[in-house]
Amino acid sequence: MGDLKLNYEVDGGDLIQAGEASSKMKMTLKKLGLPPEVIRRASICMYEGEINMVIHADGGQVEVDVGMDTITIRLTDHGPGIPDVDQAMEEGFSTAGDVARDLGFGAGMGLPNMKRCSDDMQIDTQVGVGTTVTMKIHIN
Amino acid sequence: MDLFEIRDILNATVLCGEEYLDREVRSACASDFMSDVLAYVKDQALLLTGMVNPQVVRTAEMMDMKCIIFVRGKMPGEDILELAREREIVVMRSEMRMFIACGLLYSRGLAGE
């Protein structure tokens, strides 16, 4: 049996409504009967990423690949890129604006939390071109 | 502690999920910052918050939480309640301030961890 592939478009326009793609992914993973802890970690990774995409990059695309051993979540945007990835990975560092903060985000915890909740995370980014974040979550 | 008891301790009004009040919760967290809920919470099934927007429900959903309590008399809109109903998350509101609500629940045996 091949991997299950899921694709989502993340609309950049509305931070208040963001999270729909993560919610759909979570429901699909539940239907597959994966362990709850794995589902939760994957959901946090994707939700943090989805929120980041809406805050910083006017949306983007998410590809989720559910294999026998690993869930791979790849978030691709065409936003401004991350000038200093090491700085962006520091807890507490954030460039999010007031809209994000008013909704309870922008604490500078997103990327570190994505790294913590995944088993592997890679960030490919180019200023002025966009960012791709790839996270792997092992199922067993 | 079940959600019936929590409702009574906080003198709270149930806004949706009345049918799930027999759910048991063993620990809770309280924050207005969803980033912190996503980063620090582990198995807490109850979220107390004064933040009112749909992302509170989204955050609770991602964290497998069973109940959200809006403190300080905050009143969520119908869009928030609809999202919670779809996800079978109980929503209550209490006039109590966050500190008082947390203190009462803690003193009655609800843990933070």
Side-chain angles (χ1 to χ4, degrees):
Chain A
M1 197 179 76
D3 293 0
L4 175 68
K5 294 185 190 306
L6 309 166
N7 289 284
Y8 304 97
E9 282 290 323
V10 176
D11 181 6
D14 190 356
L15 185 57
I16 292 175
Q17 299 303 333
E20 189 66 33
S22 305
S23 182
K24 284 181 181 163
M25 183 201 70
K26 180 160 193 174
M27 284 180 196
T28 303
L29 296 183
K30 274 186 180 172
K31 280 184 194 158
L32 292 172
L34 295 172
E37 185 58 31
V38 170
I39 296 176
R40 188 191 302 182
R41 287 202 290 130
S43 301
I44 293 169
C45 286
M46 176 144 164
Y47 181 58
E48 293 272 24
E50 189 179 349
I51 294 291
N52 272 352
M53 264 185 169
V54 178
I55 292 174
H56 299 289
D58 199 28
Q61 293 81 41
V62 187
E63 301 167 61
V64 180
D65 183 311
V66 186
M68 289 297 288
D69 306 318
T70 305
I71 301 170
T72 306
I73 301 172
R74 180 174 292 113
L75 302 114
T76 304
D77 70 55
H78 303 289
I82 304 170
D84 185 337
V85 173
D86 289 340
Q87 191 179 34
M89 287 303 301
E90 287 174 15
E91 290 193 359
F93 177 82
S94 176
T95 58
D98 290 344
V99 175
R101 289 170 195 274
D102 287 349
L103 290 174
F105 299 111
M109 297 300 295
L111 283 173
N113 199 26
M114 288 156 73
K115 187 172 176 64
R116 190 161 46 231
C117 289
S118 59
D119 292 300
D120 180 71
M121 183 170 92
Q122 300 294 328
I123 301 175
D124 298 303
T125 185
Q126 201 176 337
V127 172
V129 177
T131 300
T132 297
V133 180
T134 307
M135 292 170 285
K136 290 184 184 297
I137 296 111
H138 299 320
I139 293 172
N140 294 310
Chain B
M1 188 182 289
D2 65 25
L3 296 178
F4 283 111
E5 192 176 352
I6 289 167
R7 176 197 63 186
D8 293 345
I9 291 169
L10 300 182
N11 197 19
T13 307
V14 179
L15 301 175
C16 75
E18 193 98 37
E19 63 271 41
Y20 306 121
L21 293 183
D22 57 352
R23 287 177 176 170
E24 286 281 332
V25 298
R26 282 185 298 212
S27 62
C29 74
S31 180
D32 288 351
F33 227 157
M34 295 305 113
S35 292
D36 282 353
V37 175
L38 288 162
Y40 295 117
V41 170
K42 286 199 165 67
D43 283 317
Q44 291 87 333
L46 177 68
L47 171 64
L48 295 106
T49 186
M51 179 65 83
V52 185
N53 67 63
Q55 297 305 343
V56 175
V57 181
R58 296 276 190 211
T59 299
E61 177 191 4
M62 298 307 150
M63 306 304 289
D64 301 315
M65 289 173 154
K66 296 174 181 169
C67 178
I68 300 165
I69 297 174
F70 291 101
V71 296
R72 304 194 288 274
K74 298 289 172 78
M75 185 67 194
E78 187 51 39
D79 56 334
I80 295 175
L81 297 178
E82 191 54 42
L83 209 54
R85 275 189 208 102
E86 285 171 10
R87 283 142 186 85
E88 299 178 355
I89 295 171
V90 178
V91 177
M92 304 186 203
R93 71 190 284 254
S94 168
E95 294 294 332
M96 289 179 192
R97 294 181 186 181
M98 181 88 94
F99 181 78
I100 304 291
C102 293
L104 285 172
L105 291 176
Y106 196 88
S107 68
R108 297 286 287 269
L110 197 65
E113 300 269 341

